[in-house]
Amino acid sequence: LLWPAGWTDRGLRPDFLLVFAVGAGLLGGARAGCVAGVAAGLLAAPLTLDPFGLDAALLGLSGIAVAKAGVYLRADHPSVTLGLSGSCALGCGLLRLCLIAVSGDGGFSLGMICSVLLGSAATALGSGVPLWSAQNTRACCPSSSAARSAW
């Protein structure tokens, strides 16, 4: 995508698979968020060094969590969607750090925590336009069943 390479080298890399799961959770509910997150995680699993299924589990749980939180928050507001995607990215990043610490491959270092924080901020900022456009497309173009019931 059109993301500057220099930012990626410094840890400012958005997780667009997480944005996909968050968008599906906000627009389609918990089941859609879970299915989208698990599918995206399983498709990305061969390309990562994480244990197989870890991304699928984290993205699926993120889709469910966002859908449940969206019920209680004004999920159509842009700052709420940015906050939800950023908090999901932060939670996933911290869980990955905990797994690294438990596995004995190292512990929490300031550089790792800063990388998670920068990645969460990048995910929140990178999710703004896709989620906003998806929500506005849904608001402008009703589903076919809603259009049929209006007739």
Side-chain angles (χ1 to χ4, degrees):
L1 297 174
L2 300 175
W3 196 260
W7 291 4
T8 303
D9 295 339
R10 291 175 183 84
L12 263 168
R13 182 187 54 84
D15 188 354
F16 287 111
L17 295 177
L18 183 70
V19 173
F20 176 67
V22 166
L26 286 175
L27 297 175
R31 183 176 292 162
C34 181
V35 168
V38 168
L42 289 177
L43 287 174
L47 305 174
T48 65
L49 297 176
D50 292 333
F52 187 80
L54 178 65
D55 282 332
L58 291 175
L59 293 174
L61 289 174
S62 295
I64 292 171
V66 165
K68 298 295 182 182
V71 171
Y72 299 106
L73 301 172
R74 267 193 73 206
D76 59 339
H77 197 273
S79 62
V80 173
T81 57
L82 294 179
L84 286 172
S85 59
S87 62
C88 283
L90 181 63
C92 289
L94 290 177
L95 280 173
R96 282 190 178 100
L97 285 182
C98 288
L99 288 174
I100 289 172
V102 168
S103 69
D105 291 339
F108 290 107
S109 70
L110 185 60
M112 295 171 95
I113 294 173
C114 287
S115 177
V116 167
L117 291 174
L118 287 174
S120 301
T123 300
L125 292 175
S127 69
V129 173
L131 292 179
W132 179 81
S133 62
Q135 287 174 337
N136 286 334
T137 302
R138 182 178 175 201
C140 294
C141 305
S143 64
S144 59
S145 61
R148 273 182 269 160
S149 65
W151 289 96

